[in-house]
Amino acid sequence: MSASAYTTAFKTSLPVLFGYLPLGAAFGVVFATSLDFAWWIAPLMGLVIYAGAGQLLAVSLLMTQTGLLEVFLAMFLLNIRHLFYGLSLLQAFEGAGWRKAYLIFGLTDETYSLLTARPRSKDRAAEQQQDFLITLYNQLYWIAGCALGAWLGHTLTFDASGIEFALVALFIILCIEQYLSLQTRFPIWVGLAAGISVTLLIPSSQQLVVALGLTLVALLWQYPSRRHLYTPQVNVSQVDTAQVDTVTASDRHTQGGQHEP
């Protein structure tokens, strides 16, 4: 990979950097102050599990000594939305080779938003390299935040209340980026309506699953008529430049052939 590929991926992942570091640190602090484990287990969870809400849930389950079956069901319901993320990226990940398994593993909410919102060229191999680097950077940010928070939680005493708002702010930014990319308010209104409805009508323990189900049904219903909006966009400037270079090279070859004896 070229140095520009690493730089481009880093710039694309900057919004996640500013969200994952404080949020990962918040998890690390909670982990270090709630459980009697070595601080390095927190970044190890970020490496192996890599699920922000799942890791926070794991802390509470470990504190109450919950059974393995209950832990499995809780984690499954919490992260079931990732099944739908992968469906929309099957074409983008096709032919990714050894990178594909990691791209699937690292598909968090924020990474999914970046991968689907960014413009894409027709060079599938280059785009998959970018997807891989963005996914890798995001996980490194999370691991660094977990390690920093766990170390601070073991060595310092401070008030970390409110730090969890970093996740809310990050989702607001990513939602705006998605709107600018899709140029349609329909998914936003659907999500808002589903959230308000389940808050008023559904018990809190079931709100997330029901809201996701309602949103999924609404998006699948309107998908056929709006399919073009959800197709990854091709970077027109890159394609035009490539076409111009191809035409220029073809013209030169033709002109050179005309002057041959």
Side-chain angles (χ1 to χ4, degrees):
M1 298 183 196
S2 63
S4 61
Y6 289 93
T7 303
T8 301
F10 174 71
K11 291 180 179 179
T12 304
S13 66
L14 277 178
V16 177
L17 167 64
F18 296 123
Y20 271 12
L21 281 182
L23 185 62
F27 162 74
V29 170
V30 171
F31 179 91
T33 55
S34 303
L35 301 174
D36 189 20
F37 293 142
W39 70 269
W40 53 266
I41 295 181
L44 180 62
M45 291 178 68
L47 176 65
V48 177
I49 300 177
Y50 189 34
Q55 290 178 218
L56 288 169
L57 177 61
V59 171
S60 62
L61 296 177
L62 289 172
M63 291 175 60
T64 57
Q65 298 181 350
T66 306
L68 292 179
L69 179 59
E70 289 81 2
V71 172
F72 169 77
L73 290 175
M75 290 293 187
F76 178 76
L77 291 175
L78 182 64
N79 295 293
I80 194 173
R81 64 191 185 278
H82 290 212
L83 296 175
F84 307 114
Y85 291 169
L87 293 176
S88 63
L89 288 171
L90 287 177
Q91 184 177 3
F93 290 171
E94 184 179 358
W98 60 270
R99 299 184 181 91
K100 187 173 183 179
Y102 180 72
L103 287 169
I104 296 172
F105 167 76
L107 198 58
T108 62
D109 300 325
E110 296 76 19
T111 300
Y112 173 81
S113 182
L114 291 183
L115 297 188
T116 55
R118 72 183 188 88
R120 292 176 177 269
S121 67
K122 289 186 176 180
D123 189 344
R124 180 183 292 271
E127 294 306 317
Q128 289 174 347
Q129 289 178 355
Q130 281 293 297
D131 291 342
F132 175 79
L133 288 175
I134 292 171
T135 305
L136 177 62
Y137 284 156
N138 289 348
Q139 186 175 14
L140 292 177
Y141 303 151
W142 177 255
I143 294 173
C146 293
L148 177 62
W151 180 79
L152 290 175
H154 264 290
T155 57
L156 300 176
T157 301
F158 62 96
D159 183 9
S161 59
I163 195 171
E164 67 277 1
F165 183 75
L167 181 61
V168 179
L170 177 60
F171 271 113
I172 292 174
I173 294 173
L174 294 178
C175 182
I176 294 173
E177 290 293 333
Q178 285 281 14
Y179 166 70
L180 294 176
S181 175
L182 297 176
Q183 290 297 312
T184 175
R185 298 185 179 92
F186 185 80
I188 297 176
W189 289 120
V190 168
L192 180 62
I196 294 175
S197 300
V198 299
T199 301
L200 297 176
L201 303 174
I202 305 298
S204 59
S205 59
Q206 304 172 9
Q207 288 177 359
L208 179 60
V209 175
V210 175
L212 288 173
L214 292 174
T215 303
L216 176 64
V217 170
L219 292 178
L220 289 177
W221 171 76
Q222 59 84 51
Y223 180 75
S225 61
R226 298 168 178 253
R227 187 173 184 176
H228 62 285
L229 296 174
Y230 301 102
T231 303
Q233 299 298 312
V234 174
N235 192 321
V236 178
S237 61
Q238 293 181 7
V239 175
D240 290 345
T241 301
Q243 292 175 343
V244 170
D245 292 342
T246 302
V247 172
T248 303
S250 177
D251 290 344
R252 290 175 179 172
H253 177 74
T254 303
Q255 292 173 1
Q258 294 175 346
H259 288 84
E260 288 179 356

